[in-house]
Structure formats: structure tokens, C-alpha cells
Amino acid sequence: MKQGTAHITANICNKFGNDRTRLMDIAIAVQERFGCVSHEAMEEIARAVGTQRVEVESLVTFYSFLSVKPQGKVVIRLCSDIVDWMKGYSEVAEAMARELGITMGETTPDGAITLTDTPCIGMSDQAPAALVNSVVVTHLTPERGRQLVRDLRRHLDPQQLVTMVGNGNNEHPLVRSMVRNNIRMRGPVHFAPFEPGKALLKAFELAPSDVISEIKESKLRGRGGAGFPTALKWELAANTPGEKRYVICNADEGEPGTFKDRVLLTECAEQLLEGMTIAGYAVGSDTGIIYLRAEYRYLMPYLQSKIEGRLKQGFLGRGILGKKGFNFDIRIQLGAGAYICGEETALISSCEGLRGDPKNRPPFPPQEGYLKRPTIVNNVETLCCVSRILLEGAKWFASIGSANTTGTKVLSISGDCRKPGVYEVPFGITTRELIELSEAENVGSLLIGGPCRQMIGQVRLDGQICYDDLATGGAIIIFNGARNKLEIAEHYLDFFIDESCGHCTPCRVGLTLLKNLVHKVISGTGEPADLDRMRDLSNFIINMSRCGLGQAAPNPVLGALEIFGDASGGFVAERKPGLLPEFDLSKAVIDAELRVGRQSKYV
Amino acid sequence: MQAKTRIATVSLSGCFGCHMSLLDIDDRILKLAELVEFDRSPINDFKDFQSRCAVGIVEGGCCNEDNVEVLESFRKNCDVLISVGECAITGGINSMRNNIPLKECLDEAYLKSPGVYNPLNKIPNDPEIPLLLNRVYPCHEVVKIDYFIPGCPPQADALWDVLVALLSGKAPVIAYKNHKYD
């Protein structure tokens, strides 16, 4: 049996050319074959690709979709994002756990089904949702959860759970998913008709440097959230000497509450692939990589078929559309469940077959990125914009949106509103307008750009969605007035604590300390000084953390404190001198009392 | 004559090293005696508070019920409470037991360890022996602490500077050279 494991593992490694940099694909394939990457398998992999076993173990234990211990044949990952909580996660989780006779995180004794939870899977507009292996199930209720478990018990085939398919390309035979697009507003950039190849021909009329100039003129800025000028990034990569350059599409939208890239991948795949090809032409690259988050694996066969289709049509491959000397190929790199990999340097690490650790900057990826070569990493939406800009012209694009933020933005709106879904709106739209569009009532607060950005209250409802005011990668989560803002902040702190890579102390330790403080205040034992401590600690973490995760994680806490303003006095009170309310002497001495057999004289 | 400022000190679960460091202020102790009156402290061996104090200096963390009781009385009787040294601030050496369940600690110490002579096979249970806590707590997890002076032990100059600042109504600052150890 063990011999068999080694043999099969060796074959898998061989399939990926025994290439150390393809460790992600190897580990994912082994996980899929055996339900785990066992120590024996890790040893075999290390031998095959010529590395140390600890290197493989470090990768396997980093990603949440990989495991050393065997998992069930079917793994149910229930999404535990805050929107899912609001829509009934707890009841569904309890119903499924009870039906399975196990608790969260366990596998049934027969090794058939594992039940676990996972952060946002990009289905906030159809929550509560879950991944069953790679099949998405949405709009769960306790009853549907129980039925799902019963069905799985019978056939152990997640695909059979899809009894009704969603709309758009979710009906495509290679997708066949019950996911719905929920496109509530179609704009001119992404949801207008798109004819493959046309934008590419337009690009070929220009010299590569002129393509970059065109993008510059359009004032396109990165749609992932940071808003870095796309042309500047491309220019830097194009001007860095090197034999080989890379174009990476960041399709790892892990920011809780973001799901617009999922819809773009489903509906605008051609536009995306064409955008990547144009980017390759502009910066002088012949290789593109789409880093697809593990949660969207159900889209992989479809995207793969689109790539193959474009190869046949001559939109990809060698001498594209007869353009001598321009070759471009695209491969899909699957992720394995790590929020941090949405950060571009961590994403590059992951593509290189490493843990998703962020890298030090500088050098920036356009100077030294994937395999130390100049690399541009662009968001799905950014690359889709590129195709449209080439089609319609920079002037046309720049005429949409606000002064410094041109074009449209695809927003993912979810939470306490009647019409959650995807909205393509011009930049400069106000939060108030979004609330009206999504038919939200009694709004207490909003998370603009997800938890890593900012929480705003009533005061800022006239704020505009653009890089000069309220920047967002796409997520807008709406909370009604009854929701406790500090509880929202605590929920996201749990998320960030889980996703912290652990490399630097301010983030690894600081976030837990911050969570303890927030919890203390929520539980009613906080003092006014705790609020100052929360602010100080938040600023410390923001200033001292190594990468964007720690630098952003305290934002919901700061947002909540800002919304409360002076009203936060209601949560905290001065205490009488004496023991702290959170210190419980009777709990602290119970072990000794039991072992020694005498009661404490102080309790 | 104006009443002197009253100061209390205590060593909870510590090694008295911080108190030794306090004595290390050398001849400045005469000046200190001019400025302050010691209340409850090992320096004069008073076991109870005589009256309310301005400053309480706490060495050591809380590893047993008595430590908690004493620390609580310090909080109630002192206006300003200072955690002094590694044990008070983090639990220190004592907290190395924090990852081991208390039962295992007691059994290892009194029953299982080689060389233990314990024919009755019982954990000592004299009422005079305070019950251990499930883990060692730094002082600020038990009561509110106003200031922290780090070090193992803190340097005499650090203790002196903080005390002088507090006694003269200034914000205490510890000079870099007084908490630099490498």
C-alpha cells in the first residue's frame, strides 16, 4: 500500500516535470488523490522535485485546502463570513453537524464526510453558502443542510447536489453550477457586448509602448483596491531589462464580501484573456498566469476551455493573429485557500510553489517578481478594462467616472439589503445612491472595500466611491442599525488572526491582543482607557506590520470607534479599585482545590 | 511638618531581585528616606497597610491565591501601582509552568519525581500553604496597573528615575541606557 502511495505520488510529480516551482499543483493533485498529503507523500515529493521535506511540509501546512491528516472523501466547507452569519450560518452549521453526528472540523468515523468552515468563498450575495469539494451550494437553510447531508451519504457525489443551475454561463456544461450572477446593473465597460480578437487587433496597430501610452491616457488604476496606476506598473516592467517577463492575473479575490471577479470570470472570460494578451504584448511577455483561488475551482474547466478555444482561433499561442514574434500562452495556477495570497508578492510566492509569504519590497514585482523576473500582477477587472480601453479608446474611458478615478467599478454589494449582487457603476457614485440601488433600509454602517478598508457610518453617506474618497476593491457590505459594530470588528479580527501568516510579531501577536480588548469591551467589562488602548494598539499594528494584512486588519476596529465617537462611553465604565472583572479567582484556583482537596479561603 | 509621601512595596512570586535593585540606588536611599515614608514593605517588615499610600511597587507575578489577595489589597490601598520587573510584567520564570496542567506540575513535584520521599503519597495540604493558581498571571491581568518598569531586575537608576518623577509630579521616563541590556 505504502509502495503504491509513493508510486502514484512520483507519477504526479513527474506529470509536473518534477519542477520545484510547481509544488502547489503537485500538492493539490496529491491531496485530491489521497484526501491528504501524508508524511510519506511529502517525503516522496521532496525526493522527486529535489528539495527538503520540511519545505513541502511548510507549504502543505500553510494552505487551508491542503492537509496532512486524511480528510473525508467529501469535504463540506461552510462559509463563515459575517454575511453568512447574518443569514443563518449558525443554524445551518448546527443542523449539518447534528445530521452528520460530528462537530465542526471533524470527519465522520467512516471517513466519508468532513465538515469544516472557511472564510468568505465569494458568495455573499447568496449566503449562507458552502463548498462541497469544489461544488458550490448556495442559499442554505437548516432543512436544506440536512437534506444535503442525507443525499451525500447516499451517493458521495457533490455534483449530484446541483439540481438546478444558475443563470448565464453558470449553465455552461463545463460549469453547471447553481451559482447565480445577480448582475443588477450592467455598465459599458464589462457588461457591454464583447467580440473576441477585436481589441487585440487594435493593440497590434500600435507599438507596445503606445499601448502603454493609451492605458496611461485612460488613467486606468488597479481595480484590486490599491488603485496603483496600471500604465506605471507596465512601464516599469517593460523598462526593466530581462529575457523573460510575466503577466499574472490576480483572481484570488479573498477580501470578505467581494465576489465581482467571480462574475467577471464567469461572464467576461474572453475579455479577461484578451486583456492579459494585450498586457503581454505591451510589456514584452510571452507567459501569463491566472492565479485562481481554490474556492473558484469550479470555474477552472470552463476557463481552461476558453484558453484552448483562443489557442485554436489564433488569439493565443505562437505568432498571434499573424503577428510575427509575438507569442503568448496562459496557464491557470490554482490556489489552495489562503487570504494572504491576494497580496501580490504573496501570490507570486504561491505561484513559485512556496508558502504564501509576502516578500520584502523593494524590489517591486515589475522589477523583480515571479522567478525573479519582471512581473506585472493585475486584478481580473483591471485586465478586462484594458480590452475595453483598446476597443473604445482612452478618451472614451476617461470620460466615464470622476476626475481622478476614471471608468466604472464593478461592486459586490451584500449584507442587509434587498438586492445583493453585482453592480457596474461609474466611479464617483455616492454611498447613499448605492444604498438606494440595493434597496437597503435602516443602514447603521457599511464596510467599504471589505474589512481591510474602512467601516463608515451615517456621517459619511455622501462619500464617493473613488480613490480620492472611499477606495474599494469592490466589496460593499451593508449592516443595519441593529448590528453591533464592535461585534462586526471582532468577527473580522478572528478572520485576520486566522489568516495572518505569522511572520511578524505586530500582526501575529498584536491582533490577538486587540481582539482580547475588543472582546472585553463587548462583554461589558471595559474601561474608558481600553478604548485608547485599542486605538494605540491598532496604530501600532498598522505601522509596524510587514505586509498589507497587518497594516489593514485593525481598520474595522478603528472604524467602529470612529462611528461611536463620544457615544462609546455607553460600552465602558470606570471600575472600582480591586480585581479586574475578567479575572475570576474561583476559576483560577479550581484545579488546585480539586487536586489538594481543600477550598480556597478567598473564594 | 508636611506628611511624607507613603510608599508600599511587595514581592509576590518573585526572587526579591527587584528589591535588591532598589537597594542598589546606594546612598540615594538616604535621600529617598527623606522624601518618603515606607508603609507596608519588606524594608521595614510591616505586614499590613498602616494607611493609604501614594505609590505601590509590586515585584513578582501571581502564582497563588495569597498573591492575588495581597495584590488586591495593594490596588485598594495605593493611588498608583507600578509593576516592576519581568515576573510582575509577564509572569517571568514562574510562568514556564503555564503550558503544563497544574495537576501534572503538582504530581511531578511531590509524587513522581526521582528522589521524592512521600510515603503518604499526598500533595501537601497545610492551610498555611496557599493554593496555586491554574497558571501564573502577570499583575496587570489581575488588577489595573498604572506603570511598568521592565528589566530583570530593572536597573537601580530606572527605579530611581521613575520614583523621583512620580514624587515630583512629572511623567516618568526611563532613559534608553537604563533599559538597554545588550
Side-chain angles (χ1 to χ4, degrees):
Chain A
M1 179 67 195
K2 264 191 183 166
Q3 210 62 38
T5 310
H7 184 68
I8 295 166
T9 306
N11 277 347
I12 290 172
C13 295
N14 206 21
K15 199 180 126 199
F16 291 100
N18 293 323
D19 184 352
R20 166 74 180 83
T21 68
R22 299 299 294 274
L23 207 51
M24 281 292 279
D25 303 279
I26 293 171
I28 291 167
V30 171
Q31 172 81 32
E32 192 166 69
R33 176 66 179 75
F34 298 107
C36 68
V37 186
S38 64
H39 286 283
E40 291 85 21
M42 286 194 244
E43 214 146 303
E44 185 54 41
I45 295 170
R47 198 172 12 241
V49 306
T51 185
Q52 305 298 323
R53 194 189 59 83
V54 288
E55 293 279 323
V56 184
E57 182 166 359
S58 136
L59 176 122
V60 170
T61 52
F62 183 86
Y63 294 95
S64 70
F65 280 54
L66 303 175
S67 62
V68 184
K69 282 190 189 152
Q71 290 195 305
K73 272 199 168 58
V74 176
V75 181
I76 304 174
R77 291 186 171 85
L78 198 54
C79 178
S80 65
D81 185 57
I82 198 154
V83 179
D84 296 73
W85 277 86
M86 283 154 49
K87 308 284 176 189
Y89 162 89
S90 311
E91 292 78 14
V92 176
E94 204 200 313
M96 289 170 100
R98 188 166 295 181
E99 186 69 32
L100 284 163
I102 53 174
T103 59
M104 202 43 95
E106 288 184 341
T107 303
T108 50
D110 58 357
I113 301 175
T114 300
L115 177 65
T116 180
D117 55 7
T118 188
C120 187
I121 60 170
M123 303 290 158
S124 303
D125 57 337
Q126 34 215 306
L131 281 174
V132 184
N133 289 353
S134 59
V135 172
V136 183
V137 286
T138 59
H139 291 301
L140 284 165
T141 58
E143 185 41 46
R144 288 201 46 222
R146 275 189 287 269
Q147 190 56 48
L148 180 148
V149 168
R150 272 179 241 142
D151 291 347
L152 277 178
R153 274 245 157 88
R154 218 174 51 243
H155 53 60
L156 282 182
D157 175 12
Q159 195 54 48
Q160 283 192 41
L161 297 171
V162 182
T163 48
M164 189 188 73
V165 289
N167 54 353
N169 282 331
N170 291 299
E171 289 179 24
H172 192 281
L174 287 172
V175 183
R176 282 202 60 78
S177 165
M178 68 191 289
V179 174
R180 284 165 176 275
N181 285 331
N182 288 332
I183 304 171
R184 310 278 185 185
M185 198 172 223
R186 290 171 182 273
V189 176
H190 301 282
F191 297 118
F194 181 83
E195 196 186 314
K198 248 178 138 177
L200 204 48
L201 281 174
K202 288 252 185 178
F204 286 166
E205 288 170 15
L206 305 169
S209 61
D210 292 336
V211 173
I212 299 183
S213 302
E214 186 79 3
I215 300 299
K216 191 179 268 177
E217 203 192 325
S218 76
K219 294 192 201 166
L220 175 65
R221 294 172 68 170
R223 293 322 201 221
F228 192 82
T230 306
L232 209 61
K233 195 184 265 188
W234 289 15
E235 216 164 42
L236 197 54
N239 293 339
T240 305
E243 293 157 27
K244 206 167 162 65
R245 297 186 183 79
Y246 290 96
V247 173
I248 298 184
C249 164
N250 184 346
D252 189 55
E253 63 171 350
E255 191 60 37
T258 318
F259 45 84
K260 49 108 188 163
D261 287 347
R262 184 241 303 156
V263 175
L264 292 178
L265 289 165
T266 313
E267 298 303 325
C268 309
E270 291 282 358
Q271 197 174 334
L272 165 68
L273 296 172
E274 191 141 332
M276 286 182 76
T277 316
I278 294 167
Y281 175 67
V283 303
S285 156
D286 64 359
T287 309
I289 301 174
I290 299 177
Y291 188 87
L292 184 69
R293 69 188 302 223
E295 290 81 350
Y296 294 167
R297 187 175 187 164
Y298 73 99
L299 290 171
M300 195 164 165
Y302 169 72
L303 292 172
Q304 200 69 55
S305 78
K306 284 283 162 192
I307 292 172
E308 279 153 24
R310 287 180 73 88
L311 265 169
K312 280 198 195 110
Q313 287 165 291
F315 299 152
L316 282 175
R318 300 192 64 78
I320 291 172
L321 291 178
K323 185 95 180 169
K324 263 218 152 89
F326 179 53
N327 314 322
F328 196 73
D329 231 328
I330 297 176
R331 79 169 168 95
I332 300 175
Q333 172 66 60
L334 200 59
Y339 168 73
I340 188 64
C341 289
E343 195 274 344
E344 62 175 1
T345 61
L347 183 149
I348 289 171
S349 296
S350 189
C351 287
E352 291 169 338
L354 303 167
R355 288 160 57 93
D357 283 331
K359 296 174 194 274
N360 283 332
R361 297 189 291 187
F364 292 91
Q367 302 162 306
E368 192 183 306
Y370 178 63
L371 303 178
K372 298 205 181 293
R373 301 259 169 69
T375 304
I376 54 168
V377 182
N378 284 131
N379 181 260
V380 172
E381 190 183 343
T382 313
L383 290 162
C384 287
C385 287
V386 166
S387 298
R388 189 65 69 184
I389 290 167
L390 265 296
L391 270 181
E392 306 287 345
K395 284 200 181 67
W396 173 85
F397 189 83
S399 71
I400 310 169
S402 70
N404 285 325
T405 318
T406 55
T408 63
K409 181 81 193 95
V410 186
L411 297 175
S412 328
I413 303 184
S414 63
D416 292 318
C417 62
R418 210 160 288 145
K419 290 201 164 156
V422 166
Y423 295 72
E424 186 187 347
V425 294
F427 269 113
I429 194 167
T430 65
T431 320
R432 197 180 297 281
E433 288 171 277
L434 292 178
I435 291 172
E436 272 165 32
L437 282 175
S438 61
E439 297 182 12
E441 280 165 25
N442 179 26
V443 174
S445 57
L446 295 105
L447 266 175
I448 308 288
C452 91
R453 289 277 154 177
Q454 51 192 332
M455 195 194 293
I456 63 162
Q458 287 286 343
V459 197
R460 293 195 62 190
L461 287 192
D462 288 314
Q464 293 186 345
I465 302 293
C466 66
Y467 291 112
D468 296 330
D469 191 2
L470 299 169
T472 171
I476 309 278
I477 310 176
I478 303 176
F479 301 100
N480 69 35
R483 313 262 181 211
N484 182 340
K485 292 157 196 75
L486 270 183
E487 275 176 18
I488 298 167
E490 190 191 15
H491 186 97
Y492 282 122
L493 275 177
D494 280 331
F495 164 73
F496 285 120
I497 288 168
D498 232 35
E499 296 294 338
S500 168
C501 80
H503 187 104
C504 69
T505 316
C507 172
R508 185 186 65 245
V509 177
L511 290 178
T512 299
L513 294 178
L514 186 59
K515 184 218 145 86
N516 290 349
L517 269 176
V518 172
H519 189 78
K520 181 181 172 191
V521 171
I522 292 173
S523 62
T525 58
E527 293 174 89
D530 287 329
L531 301 178
D532 292 332
R533 251 174 245 143
M534 268 152 70
R535 279 190 200 99
D536 288 349
L537 186 56
S538 296
N539 289 324
F540 176 82
I541 296 168
I542 289 171
N543 289 321
M544 302 302 285
S545 291
R546 184 166 173 252
C547 83
L549 191 146
Q551 289 158 13
N555 282 343
V557 177
L558 290 176
L561 289 176
E562 195 187 314
I563 296 170
F564 288 139
D566 296 334
S568 47
F571 282 93
V572 290
E574 290 287 358
R575 308 281 155 198
K576 279 192 194 138
L579 296 182
L580 293 171
E582 64 266 31
F583 178 78
D584 185 345
L585 183 61
S586 55
K587 271 193 193 150
V589 292
I590 184 77
D591 290 349
E593 288 179 334
L594 289 172
R595 187 69 194 108
V596 174
R598 139 173 83 92
Q599 272 205 346
S600 167
K601 55 189 168 192
Y602 302 116
V603 176
Chain B
M1 198 183 89
Q2 205 194 338
K4 288 183 186 172
T5 307
R6 301 188 73 82
I7 284 190
T9 77
V10 69
S11 176
L12 302 173
S13 289
C15 69
F16 271 93
C18 298
H19 275 79
M20 292 298 135
S21 202
L22 184 62
L23 297 181
D24 257 354
I25 59 177
D26 300 332
D27 57 339
R28 283 173 290 186
I29 199 142
L30 297 174
K31 201 170 174 197
L32 186 65
E34 278 173 26
L35 289 170
V36 304
E37 185 86 55
F38 277 95
D39 199 283
R40 176 186 171 147
S41 167
I43 288 175
N44 52 20
D45 213 17
F46 285 166
K47 300 283 194 281
D48 293 301
F49 278 97
Q50 310 297 305
S51 65
R52 188 159 183 84
C53 293
V55 180
I57 293 175
V58 183
E59 169 190 345
C62 290
C63 84
N64 64 40
E65 52 178 357
D66 278 7
N67 294 155
V68 173
E69 174 73 8
V70 173
L71 186 57
E72 187 180 7
S73 78
F74 262 68
R75 182 68 269 180
K76 285 180 172 163
N77 286 290
C78 303
D79 297 340
V80 168
L81 217 49
I82 312 177
S83 259
V84 167
E86 204 58 27
C87 300
I89 295 174
T90 70
I93 294 264
N94 310 296
S95 62
M96 285 174 73
R97 79 160 160 98
N98 282 6
N99 288 324
I100 301 163
L102 180 67
K103 182 179 176 300
E104 276 180 43
C105 286
L106 288 171
D107 291 358
E108 185 65 23
Y110 294 110
L111 309 178
K112 291 184 187 159
S113 162
V116 165
Y117 176 72
N118 187 351
L120 291 177
N121 206 36
K122 271 188 172 169
I123 307 286
N125 187 18
D126 190 292
E128 284 292 306
I129 305 171
L131 292 174
L132 292 178
L133 305 181
N134 57 341
R135 65 177 173 91
V136 178
Y137 293 77
C139 293
H140 64 270
E141 287 187 10
V142 177
V143 300
K144 187 181 165 211
I145 298 289
D146 302 291
Y147 294 100
F148 302 85
I149 308 180
C152 186
Q155 296 190 16
D157 285 345
L159 293 166
W160 173 256
D161 290 349
V162 170
L163 274 177
V164 169
L166 284 176
L167 293 172
S168 46
K170 289 179 194 151
V173 178
I174 302 174
Y176 178 62
K177 69 175 170 63
N178 287 339
H179 63 92
K180 177 176 174 283
Y181 290 96
D182 57 3

